[in-house]
Amino acid sequence: MKEKKRLRLKKLPKPVGIGIFYGLCLMVAVMVLMHYNPLAPDQHTENLKKFCACALLALACIIFGLYYDRMFIIPKELFQSRELIWKLAKNDFKKRYAGSYLGFLWALVQPVVTVVMYWIVFDKVFQTRSQLVASGVEVPYVLYLTAGLVPWFYFSEAITNGTSALLEYSYLVKKVVFNISILPIIKLIAATFIHVFFVVVLLVVAIFYGYYPNIYTIQIVYYSFCLFVLVLAMSYCTCAVVVFFRDLAQIINIGLQVGMWATPILWNIDMLNNPKIITLFKLNPLVYIVNGYRNAIYGDEWFFEHFYSSTYFWIFTVTLFCVGSLIFKRLKVHFADVL
């Protein structure tokens, strides 16, 4: 049965695959151009959003058409190695905390302490809560803060571990028969175990403040999937480049420090009065995810109600995954020599 499924993946003709992708892109482009937002601040901003979306779609089509064969290799390899990926991800998670008395609990201590310290400093000392109320946020600050930090902690850990996947498993990279394209996703799945725990903590904090789970809460699964795919796309880029340019790991650490403040985690994006600056900040795909987590916990909006944000996020992520796959496959033949 498994062999039949693998054969089906191989038998998909190239013109059919490209045609399906182009058809989906055309459908999305039509939806973007026909979409009408009655709450739009001005038509110029709406036209700019539509132009950017269509430009990204066109770029994705060009890349997909030129490098179809290379880009399909990684998804096919991941699907065929799914059982091995799951086993190695569990072993990676267990190995990380082997030998310590508290085990995986150490992975939970630092983020919890970070949340508590931010809450004390910004809510109790600087009284950020009053500023959030003025900008339209009426939930307790600790809930607002936790809903933003939970996806950020996962992003930070996953991109760091995903970047170092080939370096950490260099002994597997040198094996000719081993499929090294599964290494980044192994690190991401291992990080997901901790993320699931923090989602539970987030739900407990929400219940404590009277925000009980409802139908909108299931969107956490969707936004977690968005975050996973985004980090996976980035990891294929970074893990391939860091083999040849080791300084990239330090650059990413600095970028994470800057990115935390460029993402509305400790502050509310509605505090900004300039619509153009708000649009600029929303180009950061993590803004879509962080706001999504908050809507899932205490909001009453579905993800598809944010049409432009959802469309932009997926166009950006799919394009990034295509580029990451090409970079990875291009540099793959040189990994063993460098490591």
Side-chain angles (χ1 to χ4, degrees), residues 217-230:
T217 308
I218 63 176
Q219 293 183 106
I220 289 183
V221 178
Y222 164 75
Y223 287 110
S224 297
F225 176 74
C226 292
L227 185 56
F228 182 88
V229 177
L230 174 65

Side-chain angles (χ1 to χ4, degrees), residues 41-42 45 272-282:
D42 58 83
T45 304
L272 305 174
N273 297 323
N274 192 328
K276 293 183 179 179
I277 296 180
I278 293 177
T279 302
L280 181 63
F281 272 95
K282 286 185 176 181

Side-chain angles (χ1 to χ4, degrees), residues 18 21-22 25-26 56-66 319:
I18 294 178
F21 185 81
Y22 282 7
C25 289
L26 179 61
L56 286 174
L57 283 171
L59 177 62
C61 288
I62 293 173
I63 296 175
F64 192 84
L66 293 176
T319 304

Side-chain angles (χ1 to χ4, degrees), residues 91 157 270 335:
N91 291 335
E157 181 182 4
D270 291 333
F335 290 158

Side-chain angles (χ1 to χ4, degrees), residues 88-121:
L88 291 178
K90 291 190 293 184
N91 291 335
D92 183 271
F93 178 74
K94 295 176 182 178
K95 180 185 68 175
R96 193 181 310 175
Y97 306 102
S100 60
Y101 289 107
L102 296 180
F104 76 94
L105 292 178
W106 285 116
L108 314 178
V109 172
Q110 182 177 356
V112 170
V113 172
T114 302
V115 172
V116 173
M117 291 304 300
Y118 278 136
W119 174 59
I120 292 175
V121 171

Side-chain angles (χ1 to χ4, degrees), residues 158-182:
I159 190 61
T160 301
N161 294 341
T163 300
S164 62
L166 298 181
L167 300 178
E168 183 176 341
Y169 288 102
S170 58
Y171 59 93
L172 294 178
V173 176
K174 297 176 183 178
K175 290 187 176 182
V176 179
V177 296
F178 189 80
N179 183 9
I180 63 174
S181 62
I182 70 174

